[in-house]
Amino acid sequence: EFRTALKDTGMEIASVLPLYRWSSPDEDERQAAVRYWKRAIQLTVDLGATVMNSEFNGRPEAAAASEAQFWRSMEELLPIFEREGISLNLEAHPGDFIERNDAAVALIRAIDSPMVGYVYCVPHTYHLGSDIGAMIDEASRFLRQVHVADVFDHTASSGLRYIVNPPGSTARIHQHLDIGQGEVDWDSCFAALRRNGFDGILTSCVFAWEERAVDSSRFMLERIRHHLQAAEPTRDAIA
Protein backbone atom coordinates (compact mmCIF):
# COMPACT_ATOMS: atom_id res chain seq x y z
CA GLU A 1 0.00 0.00 0.00
CA PHE A 2 2.84 2.36 0.82
CA ARG A 3 4.61 1.67 -2.46
CA THR A 4 1.36 2.22 -4.36
CA ALA A 5 0.75 5.50 -2.55
CA LEU A 6 4.24 6.69 -3.46
CA LYS A 7 3.64 5.85 -7.11
CA ASP A 8 0.21 7.51 -7.14
CA THR A 9 1.48 10.76 -5.59
CA GLY A 10 4.84 10.94 -7.34
CA MET A 11 6.66 10.97 -4.00
CA GLU A 12 10.00 9.25 -3.40
CA ILE A 13 11.77 8.08 -0.26
CA ALA A 14 14.98 10.04 0.36
CA SER A 15 16.32 7.61 2.95
CA VAL A 16 15.32 4.84 5.34
CA LEU A 17 16.58 4.82 8.93
CA PRO A 18 16.72 1.45 10.74
CA LEU A 19 18.07 1.28 14.30
CA TYR A 20 19.23 -2.19 15.35
CA ARG A 21 21.81 -3.46 17.85
CA TRP A 22 24.36 -4.50 15.25
CA SER A 23 27.28 -3.44 17.49
CA SER A 24 25.95 -5.05 20.65
CA PRO A 25 28.60 -6.89 22.72
CA ASP A 26 25.91 -9.54 23.18
CA GLU A 27 26.37 -11.88 20.21
CA ASP A 28 22.75 -13.03 20.15
CA GLU A 29 21.59 -9.41 19.91
CA ARG A 30 24.11 -8.73 17.15
CA GLN A 31 23.05 -11.72 15.08
CA ALA A 32 19.39 -10.77 15.46
CA ALA A 33 20.23 -7.22 14.34
CA VAL A 34 21.95 -8.51 11.22
CA ARG A 35 18.84 -10.51 10.34
CA TYR A 36 16.70 -7.40 10.85
CA TRP A 37 19.08 -5.39 8.69
CA LYS A 38 18.80 -7.86 5.83
CA ARG A 39 15.01 -7.56 5.90
CA ALA A 40 15.22 -3.74 6.11
CA ILE A 41 17.53 -3.64 3.09
CA GLN A 42 15.07 -5.72 1.09
CA LEU A 43 12.16 -3.47 2.07
CA THR A 44 14.22 -0.42 1.08
CA VAL A 45 14.88 -1.96 -2.34
CA ASP A 46 11.17 -2.77 -2.70
CA LEU A 47 10.31 0.90 -2.01
CA GLY A 48 12.73 2.08 -4.68
CA ALA A 49 14.94 3.93 -2.19
CA THR A 50 18.72 3.91 -2.57
CA VAL A 51 19.90 5.38 0.77
CA MET A 52 19.79 4.04 4.31
CA ASN A 53 21.15 5.83 7.36
CA SER A 54 21.75 4.57 10.86
CA GLU A 55 23.85 4.88 14.02
CA PHE A 56 26.98 3.07 15.12
CA ASN A 57 25.18 1.60 18.15
CA GLY A 58 27.15 -0.20 20.89
CA ARG A 59 28.11 1.39 24.17
CA PRO A 60 30.95 3.79 25.08
CA GLU A 61 31.81 1.82 28.24
CA ALA A 62 32.37 -1.24 26.02
CA ALA A 63 33.84 0.59 23.04
CA ALA A 64 36.42 -2.03 22.00
CA ALA A 65 33.95 -4.92 22.16
CA SER A 66 31.29 -2.85 20.38
CA GLU A 67 33.66 -1.88 17.58
CA ALA A 68 34.66 -5.50 17.07
CA GLN A 69 30.98 -6.46 16.78
CA PHE A 70 30.35 -3.58 14.39
CA TRP A 71 33.08 -4.88 12.07
CA ARG A 72 31.63 -8.40 12.23
CA SER A 73 28.25 -7.04 11.17
CA MET A 74 29.74 -4.92 8.40
CA GLU A 75 31.66 -7.88 6.99
CA GLU A 76 28.32 -9.63 6.50
CA LEU A 77 26.18 -6.66 5.46
CA LEU A 78 28.47 -4.48 3.34
CA PRO A 79 28.47 -6.94 0.41
CA ILE A 80 24.65 -6.82 0.48
CA PHE A 81 24.60 -3.02 0.41
CA GLU A 82 27.01 -3.09 -2.51
CA ARG A 83 25.10 -5.78 -4.38
CA GLU A 84 21.76 -4.00 -3.98
CA GLY A 85 23.16 -0.55 -4.78
CA ILE A 86 22.13 0.86 -1.41
CA SER A 87 24.25 3.61 0.13
CA LEU A 88 24.70 3.53 3.90
CA ASN A 89 25.25 6.74 5.86
CA LEU A 90 26.38 6.38 9.49
CA GLU A 91 25.87 8.77 12.39
CA ALA A 92 27.85 9.22 15.59
CA HIS A 93 25.25 9.25 18.36
CA PRO A 94 25.52 10.21 22.05
CA GLY A 95 25.76 6.96 24.00
CA ASP A 96 27.10 4.87 21.10
CA PHE A 97 30.60 3.39 21.03
CA ILE A 98 31.52 6.35 18.83
CA GLU A 99 30.27 9.74 19.97
CA ARG A 100 32.82 12.15 18.47
CA ASN A 101 32.95 13.60 14.97
CA ASP A 102 36.66 12.89 14.45
CA ALA A 103 36.39 9.24 15.51
CA ALA A 104 33.35 8.68 13.31
CA VAL A 105 35.08 10.15 10.27
CA ALA A 106 38.16 7.99 10.95
CA LEU A 107 36.08 4.81 11.14
CA ILE A 108 34.19 5.56 7.93
CA ARG A 109 37.52 6.23 6.25
CA ALA A 110 38.69 2.82 7.47
CA ILE A 111 35.62 1.08 6.02
CA ASP A 112 36.91 2.34 2.68
CA SER A 113 33.77 1.77 0.62
CA PRO A 114 32.16 4.28 -1.75
CA MET A 115 28.81 2.96 -0.51
CA VAL A 116 29.41 4.16 3.09
CA GLY A 117 29.20 7.82 4.04
CA TYR A 118 28.67 10.02 7.08
CA VAL A 119 25.64 11.67 8.66
CA TYR A 120 26.36 14.90 10.53
CA CYS A 121 23.59 15.28 13.10
CA VAL A 122 23.42 18.97 14.00
CA PRO A 123 21.54 18.50 17.32
CA HIS A 124 24.46 16.31 18.47
CA THR A 125 26.97 19.09 17.79
CA TYR A 126 27.99 19.66 21.40
CA HIS A 127 28.59 15.94 21.93
CA LEU A 128 30.43 15.59 18.61
CA GLY A 129 32.85 18.42 19.39
CA SER A 130 32.45 22.18 19.56
CA ASP A 131 33.10 24.04 16.27
CA ILE A 132 30.35 23.07 13.82
CA GLY A 133 32.05 24.61 10.82
CA ALA A 134 35.36 22.87 11.52
CA MET A 135 33.64 19.52 12.07
CA ILE A 136 31.76 19.76 8.77
CA ASP A 137 35.05 20.64 7.08
CA GLU A 138 36.66 17.58 8.67
CA ALA A 139 33.83 15.31 7.54
CA SER A 140 33.36 16.83 4.09
CA ARG A 141 34.98 14.00 2.13
CA PHE A 142 32.45 11.50 3.47
CA LEU A 143 29.48 13.76 4.27
CA ARG A 144 26.33 12.50 2.55
CA GLN A 145 23.51 13.50 4.89
CA VAL A 146 22.77 16.15 7.52
CA HIS A 147 20.11 15.94 10.21
CA VAL A 148 18.79 19.43 10.93
CA ALA A 149 17.46 20.51 14.33
CA ASP A 150 18.50 22.97 17.00
CA VAL A 151 19.93 22.23 20.45
CA PHE A 152 21.28 23.92 23.55
CA ASP A 153 24.95 23.70 24.45
CA HIS A 154 25.00 21.33 27.43
CA THR A 155 28.67 22.18 28.07
CA ALA A 156 27.90 25.84 28.82
CA SER A 157 28.03 27.32 32.31
CA SER A 158 31.02 25.14 33.21
CA GLY A 159 28.99 22.07 32.31
CA LEU A 160 26.33 22.94 34.89
CA ARG A 161 23.55 24.06 32.59
CA TYR A 162 21.85 20.69 33.08
CA ILE A 163 22.09 19.06 36.47
CA VAL A 164 21.35 15.33 36.33
CA ASN A 165 20.87 13.21 39.41
CA PRO A 166 22.28 11.03 40.76
CA PRO A 167 25.79 12.44 40.36
CA GLY A 168 27.83 10.47 37.88
CA SER A 169 24.87 9.72 35.62
CA THR A 170 25.95 8.84 32.07
CA ALA A 171 22.87 10.43 30.50
CA ARG A 172 23.63 12.29 27.26
CA ILE A 173 21.33 15.31 27.29
CA HIS A 174 20.38 17.06 24.07
CA GLN A 175 17.32 18.32 22.25
CA HIS A 176 15.91 18.22 18.71
CA LEU A 177 14.27 21.64 18.41
CA ASP A 178 13.08 23.97 15.66
CA ILE A 179 15.80 26.15 14.17
CA GLY A 180 16.18 29.25 16.35
CA GLN A 181 15.07 27.60 19.59
CA GLY A 182 18.59 26.51 20.55
CA GLU A 183 22.15 27.77 20.22
CA VAL A 184 23.50 26.24 16.99
CA ASP A 185 25.41 28.68 14.80
CA TRP A 186 23.35 28.12 11.66
CA ASP A 187 25.27 30.65 9.59
CA SER A 188 28.46 28.68 10.24
CA CYS A 189 26.70 25.39 9.55
CA PHE A 190 25.31 26.32 6.16
CA ALA A 191 28.41 28.28 5.18
CA ALA A 192 30.48 25.13 5.81
CA LEU A 193 28.08 23.02 3.76
CA ARG A 194 28.32 25.51 0.91
CA ARG A 195 32.10 25.81 1.25
CA ASN A 196 32.50 22.05 0.92
CA GLY A 197 30.06 21.69 -1.97
CA PHE A 198 27.60 19.55 0.01
CA ASP A 199 24.96 18.11 -2.31
CA GLY A 200 23.47 15.34 -0.16
CA ILE A 201 20.30 14.90 1.88
CA LEU A 202 19.13 17.49 4.41
CA THR A 203 16.69 15.86 6.85
CA SER A 204 14.52 17.87 9.21
CA CYS A 205 15.03 16.04 12.51
CA VAL A 206 12.80 17.76 15.07
CA PHE A 207 11.35 15.53 17.78
CA ALA A 208 10.23 18.08 20.36
CA TRP A 209 6.83 19.16 19.09
CA GLU A 210 4.53 16.24 18.28
CA GLU A 211 1.52 18.42 19.12
CA ARG A 212 2.47 20.83 16.30
CA ALA A 213 4.33 18.48 13.99
CA VAL A 214 2.88 19.85 10.73
CA ASP A 215 3.57 23.48 11.64
CA SER A 216 7.05 22.55 12.82
CA SER A 217 7.78 20.72 9.57
CA ARG A 218 6.60 23.66 7.47
CA PHE A 219 8.65 26.06 9.57
CA MET A 220 11.77 23.90 9.25
CA LEU A 221 11.39 23.68 5.47
CA GLU A 222 11.15 27.47 5.26
CA ARG A 223 14.17 27.97 7.55
CA ILE A 224 16.30 25.43 5.68
CA ARG A 225 15.49 27.13 2.38
CA HIS A 226 16.32 30.51 3.95
CA HIS A 227 19.72 29.36 5.18
CA LEU A 228 20.54 27.63 1.90
CA GLN A 229 19.78 30.83 0.04
CA ALA A 230 21.74 32.93 2.52
CA ALA A 231 24.76 30.66 2.05
CA GLU A 232 24.73 31.15 -1.74
CA PRO A 233 27.76 33.15 -2.95
CA THR A 234 26.87 36.63 -4.17
CA ARG A 235 27.68 37.85 -7.66
CA ASP A 236 30.31 40.18 -6.21
CA ALA A 237 31.94 37.27 -4.40
CA ILE A 238 31.98 35.21 -7.60
CA ALA A 239 33.45 38.12 -9.53
Side-chain angles (χ1 to χ4, degrees), residues 61-109:
E61 64 271 15
S66 297
E67 182 174 353
Q69 295 290 74
F70 171 79
W71 281 110
R72 293 185 71 180
S73 297
M74 287 299 292
E75 287 170 1
E76 189 169 350
L77 291 171
L78 186 56
I80 302 176
F81 284 110
E82 293 175 339
R83 183 186 71 226
E84 298 291 351
I86 299 292
S87 296
L88 172 66
N89 298 326
L90 294 172
E91 167 190 342
H93 195 284
D96 283 2
F97 80 88
I98 286 186
E99 302 180 278
R100 302 281 296 181
N101 186 76
D102 53 356
V105 171
L107 185 55
I108 290 170
R109 181 184 293 110

Side-chain angles (χ1 to χ4, degrees), residues 15-51:
S15 60
V16 176
L17 196 168
L19 296 174
Y20 303 128
R21 298 183 181 276
W22 61 345
S23 300
S24 172
D26 183 288
E27 178 60 10
D28 288 340
E29 285 188 347
R30 189 199 69 82
Q31 290 185 20
V34 169
R35 293 195 300 271
Y36 305 154
W37 261 107
K38 290 177 180 178
R39 177 59 175 154
I41 293 170
Q42 185 57 57
L43 290 171
T44 300
V45 171
D46 290 346
L47 289 172
T50 59
V51 178

Side-chain angles (χ1 to χ4, degrees), residues 55 91-94 99 120-129 135 147 149 151 174-176:
E55 301 165 1
E91 167 190 342
H93 195 284
E99 302 180 278
Y120 185 90
C121 188
V122 177
H124 300 163
T125 289
Y126 302 107
H127 290 280
L128 292 169
M135 287 190 287
H147 288 173
V151 65
H174 64 283
Q175 303 82 31
H176 286 245

